[in-house]
Amino acid sequence: ILALLIGISAIVFLVSLLYSAFVYVPFVPTPLSVVRKMVDAAEITDGERIYDLGCGDGRLLVEAAKRKSIIARGFEINPFVYFLGKLRVLMSHQKVRIDKKNFEKESLHDADVIFCYLFPHVMQKLSVKFQNELQKGTRIVSYCFPLTSRVPKKIFPTRSDKPNNFLIYVYEV
């Protein structure tokens, strides 16, 4: 019976990953070295409200919360990845909230910083949402995929062997 439950769980997990990969973006964990650079690039200060859209296992929010006293919230739609994120937050003892919600349906009007590692078609949709909801001064930090409708304030390379790829883009509304 245990083997059957493990097998069923594995199948459900794979179907869930494939579904989210085709509908949204697959779960691809951001390397911790890049996470640290993204948090640095955001220039977060105490008291700011931070959102991570498609937060995966929550590593970016945990890293930011370790450094500053912030309000950290992530959105993850994949149930298994959401569970991984909740587990990481629990083990980190940081004040981080992860919601199993679609960030496209959530208001981002009060964000100070937004983190993204999302495919171009999702970034395109977000561009309109950002235009409608974000306040002046909100910073958007995106890994790999730029907001084509905006000019980045700064661009940071993450790999010396590929200085024009795997970039961090920082925007300010």
Side-chain angles (χ1 to χ4, degrees), residues 37 157-164:
K37 288 178 183 179
T158 61
R159 293 176 52 175
S160 58
D161 63 328
K162 295 186 179 185
N164 296 320

Side-chain angles (χ1 to χ4, degrees), residues 146-170:
L147 283 166
T148 56
S149 63
R150 295 184 177 270
V151 176
K153 182 179 172 185
K154 298 177 189 174
I155 300 174
F156 297 95
T158 61
R159 293 176 52 175
S160 58
D161 63 328
K162 295 186 179 185
N164 296 320
N165 297 324
F166 305 100
L167 301 173
I168 295 170
Y169 300 89
V170 180

Side-chain angles (χ1 to χ4, degrees), residues 13-157:
F13 176 73
L14 289 173
V15 168
S16 159
L17 285 179
L18 288 172
Y19 173 77
S20 67
F22 286 111
V23 176
Y24 297 102
V25 272
F27 173 54
V28 180
T30 307
L32 286 174
S33 62
V34 173
V35 165
R36 291 180 186 108
K37 288 178 183 179
M38 289 177 75
V39 172
D40 289 342
E43 299 178 355
I44 297 168
T45 59
D46 286 337
E48 287 191 308
R49 185 174 302 272
I50 312 303
Y51 289 129
D52 188 357
L53 309 183
C55 68
D57 64 4
R59 64 183 58 200
L60 198 146
L61 293 169
V62 167
E63 178 66 25
K66 284 180 183 176
R67 296 183 187 195
K68 299 288 181 179
S69 177
I70 59 172
I71 300 163
R73 183 178 181 198
F75 300 102
E76 179 55 55
I77 200 163
N78 182 303
F80 290 98
V81 180
Y82 164 79
F83 175 75
L84 289 174
K86 295 295 266 186
L87 190 60
R88 179 181 290 272
V89 168
L90 182 67
M91 291 172 33
S92 75
H93 303 288
Q94 297 300 317
K95 285 187 174 182
V96 170
R97 175 179 163 189
I98 297 179
D99 294 325
K100 189 184 161 307
K101 292 184 176 182
N102 182 342
F103 58 75
E104 291 178 12
K105 297 177 182 176
E106 297 298 312
S107 174
L108 306 174
H109 75 279
D110 58 350
D112 295 300
V113 177
I114 294 178
F115 289 106
C116 312
Y117 179 19
L118 304 165
F119 281 171
H121 71 280
V122 180
M123 294 299 286
Q124 183 68 34
K125 281 196 235 176
L126 279 174
S127 184
V128 174
K129 184 173 180 64
F130 291 162
Q131 182 68 35
N132 293 335
E133 292 184 21
L134 299 183
Q135 300 174 41
K136 185 177 179 180
T138 301
R139 296 170 319 277
I140 304 161
V141 180
S142 178
Y143 178 51
C144 286
F145 303 107
L147 283 166
T148 56
S149 63
R150 295 184 177 270
V151 176
K153 182 179 172 185
K154 298 177 189 174
I155 300 174
F156 297 95

